[in-house]
Amino acid sequence: MAAFRDIEEVSQGLLSLLSANRAEAQQRRLLGRHEQILERLLETQDGAEQRLQETLATEEEVAQSLLHSKERSCQGNAELQQLEAELQRAAEDDAHLQASLLQLTGELEELRELEADLERQERDVDEDTTVVIPSAVYVAQLYHRMSKIEWDYESEPGVIKGIHYGPSVAQPIHLDSTQLSQKFISDYLWSLVDTEWQPGAS
Amino acid sequence: MMEDELARFDKSINEFGNKFRNTFSDTRCQMVGLRDVFKDSIEALAEICRQNKLIQEKKDALLKLITEVKDKKQEMEVLTAKIQDLKEEYSRKKETISNANKANKESLKRLQKSADLYKDRLGLEIRKIYGNKLQFIFTSIDPKHPERPFMFSLHLNEARDYEVSDSAPHLECLAEFQENVRKTNNFSAFIANVRKAFTAMVYN
């Protein structure tokens, strides 16, 4: 702004000089100043022009940058939405699988109970095999040993049929249990058994 | 001539001066506008930064979920196979047990039938009692009371000899019979003689 005031002053000075008829030297000096001022004016014009250009360039840059950023922001949103959708899908899958796993775990649990049950049954069968049956066999053999009688299991009901294996002879047995008393039958059967203390026979 | 030049000069200075002043005030607005746009730009960048952070978080979460889903699928496969194997195994086991049980029950039925026949017909019940003893219970001895029991117990002692005990009613000759059976090992005669002795008791 000071430059313009100078310029105005110089102008005034020049104009008054022209009307007053002063020395040539003064005129030359003033013309010299005039030239300087012109130069400064031109420089200032150029400078101003440059600033303007720079400002315009910056404006464009910033506008581009903002546009670019908005674009990226938009893309970012789209990506976020997509991720959200994928997350939801994955979460659903996860929940679904969790439920299935729970069901399977339940099944496994039931199978464990079944296993325990089967083990119990196995133990029962083992007991029958190792204890109950041998015991029953022992008793049956004992009866056989002491009576020396073998029954006919196919005989008709009400008929007692069998064989008594004596020391020398096998005697058949045939009794009608419907006609005879229990005591008679017992006495008769025991009568077949030898009371002699023969050694070795057991 | 000089006047013209000066006048022109003066005019151009004024023109430039005006133009500069106008442009200056315009430029001021422009600068303010520019500053606002810069601010917007920075906000937009901050938004993008925030978004990126969010995107990364969600990507991480998604990766984690996907891994979990994969693990679960694998676990399911393992479990399913295991369950299938167990089912087959237990099915086989069940059949084995069923067959064995059936066979056992049949054997027991036969054995029981046999024992019952002996018991009923001979009028003699054999029981296993405490102390590894066998108890022999005769019925159909007493004609007036056929159901009346006559019993004694027998076991093998440490010397692996027959040993009698607890006869009811008491039988004197039981000791003698014990000696005889130890000597002869004739178990059949032993039992027959015991019955005979019990019977004799009743008729006396």
Side-chain angles (χ1 to χ4, degrees):
Chain A
M1 280 300 126
F4 292 117
R5 279 201 290 279
D6 290 345
I7 292 171
E8 277 180 36
E9 272 181 37
V10 168
S11 284
Q12 300 288 8
L14 281 170
L15 283 170
S16 64
L17 254 182
L18 284 169
S19 50
N21 196 27
R22 291 290 170 91
E24 214 179 283
Q26 225 173 0
Q27 194 183 10
R28 263 204 300 277
R29 192 168 40 85
L30 283 170
L31 282 172
R33 278 291 292 261
H34 179 235
E35 210 178 302
Q36 281 176 350
I37 291 165
L38 259 176
E39 265 183 54
R40 254 171 88 175
L41 176 62
L42 289 170
E43 274 174 30
T44 311
Q45 273 183 322
D46 284 341
E49 190 69 37
Q50 208 176 354
R51 298 269 177 287
L52 201 63
Q53 294 304 330
E54 281 172 10
T55 308
L56 287 173
T58 310
E59 249 185 351
E60 193 169 324
E61 222 177 276
V62 173
Q64 288 275 36
S65 167
L66 187 61
L67 215 72
H68 192 53
S69 297
K70 291 239 186 258
E71 221 176 277
R72 274 171 67 189
S73 188
C74 232
Q75 284 173 352
N77 272 340
E79 197 174 343
L80 271 173
Q81 268 188 330
Q82 194 194 8
L83 279 173
E84 197 58 50
E86 282 182 43
L87 266 173
Q88 186 146 350
R89 264 204 307 276
E92 277 171 20
D93 284 346
D94 189 64
H96 192 62
L97 282 169
Q98 188 64 37
S100 296
L101 274 176
L102 205 68
Q103 192 197 7
L104 283 181
T105 311
E107 264 186 65
L108 198 63
E109 194 52 49
E110 278 176 20
L111 281 176
R112 295 259 179 261
E113 284 175 15
L114 179 63
E115 186 187 17
D117 196 34
L118 284 176
E119 267 170 30
R120 267 197 302 276
Q121 287 180 30
E122 247 180 348
R123 279 197 297 272
D124 288 345
V125 166
D126 270 350
E127 200 182 319
D128 276 352
T129 312
T130 55
V131 174
V132 178
I133 289 181
S135 183
V137 165
Y138 177 72
V139 168
Q141 284 175 346
L142 205 58
Y143 274 122
H144 185 269
R145 209 171 110 199
M146 78 176 74
S147 65
K148 308 247 190 289
I149 294 175
E150 260 177 40
W151 304 113
D152 177 2
Y153 293 97
E154 311 298 318
S155 65
E156 316 87 69
V159 176
I160 297 175
K161 263 171 90 173
I163 303 179
H164 172 261
Y165 291 92
S168 50
V169 58
Q171 179 155 0
I173 301 166
H174 198 301
L175 300 169
D176 183 351
S177 61
T178 59
Q179 302 293 328
L180 304 164
S181 73
Q182 186 60 56
K183 176 148 169 70
F184 182 86
I185 293 170
S186 300
D187 287 343
Y188 172 74
L189 289 173
W190 279 109
S191 71
L192 298 173
V193 180
D194 192 6
T195 51
E196 293 295 318
W197 293 99
Q198 304 290 342
S202 80
Chain B
M1 225 173 32
M2 193 58 142
E3 285 168 1
D4 290 338
E5 206 179 306
L6 279 173
R8 254 202 321 273
F9 185 57
D10 192 41
K11 194 171 165 211
S12 91
I13 287 178
N14 284 333
E15 274 175 14
F16 176 71
N18 288 333
K19 194 171 159 200
F20 195 86
R21 262 180 244 119
N22 288 337
T23 312
F24 187 73
S25 54
D26 282 350
T27 308
R28 210 179 212 187
C29 295
Q30 249 181 337
M31 283 306 177
V32 168
L34 201 59
R35 192 183 57 199
D36 287 344
V37 172
F38 258 123
K39 258 190 5 193
D40 286 348
S41 201
I42 288 174
E43 275 172 18
L45 282 171
E47 169 75 14
I48 286 168
C49 219
R50 192 186 65 84
Q51 260 183 357
N52 283 347
K53 187 155 162 255
L54 205 60
I55 285 173
Q56 193 55 47
E57 279 173 16
K58 287 206 189 290
K59 274 187 177 169
D60 290 342
L62 186 63
L63 197 67
K64 189 160 165 236
L65 253 183
I66 286 176
T67 308
E68 275 178 36
V69 164
K70 186 160 157 247
D71 287 344
K72 282 197 171 84
K73 275 193 179 148
Q74 214 166 355
E75 200 182 328
M76 264 201 71
E77 270 176 37
V78 167
L79 262 183
T80 305
K82 192 171 182 181
I83 285 175
Q84 192 54 36
D85 287 343
L86 283 180
K87 273 188 179 166
E88 280 170 20
E89 187 189 325
Y90 293 163
S91 175
R92 279 196 301 269
K93 216 173 184 181
K94 198 168 173 186
E95 187 163 344
T96 307
I97 292 176
S98 174
N99 290 342
N101 197 38
K102 196 158 157 233
N104 280 354
K105 295 305 179 205
E106 275 171 22
S107 292
L108 273 174
K109 199 167 153 204
R110 271 199 323 271
L111 288 166
Q112 192 59 48
K113 189 174 169 195
S114 174
D116 286 343
L117 283 184
Y118 280 109
K119 175 168 153 244
D120 294 339
R121 292 168 180 180
L122 292 177
L124 169 62
E125 188 181 343
I126 302 177
R127 280 192 203 164
K128 280 198 173 173
I129 57 173
Y130 65 88
N132 232 11
K133 290 185 187 177
L134 283 178
Q135 194 180 45
F136 295 80
I137 306 162
F138 290 98
T139 47
S140 304
I141 303 274
D142 187 345
K144 294 201 194 72
H145 309 282
E147 72 288 349
R148 179 179 161 201
F150 292 74
M151 60 181 90
F152 75 100
S153 299
L154 184 72
H155 69 281
L156 288 178
N157 59 20
E158 294 99 42
R160 306 289 296 166
D161 283 328
Y162 287 111
E163 191 170 312
V164 298
S165 52
D166 315 319
S167 76
H170 176 69
L171 211 55
E172 281 296 337
C173 46
L174 201 54
E176 184 196 332
F177 293 159
Q178 178 181 277
E179 289 314 308
N180 286 343
V181 75
R182 282 184 186 181
K183 260 192 310 213
T184 64
N185 205 34
N186 193 335
F187 188 69
S188 175
F190 171 70
I191 298 290
N193 276 303
V194 168
R195 188 177 191 274
K196 202 170 157 189
F198 274 137
T199 311
M201 269 180 76
V202 172
Y203 283 110
N204 294 348

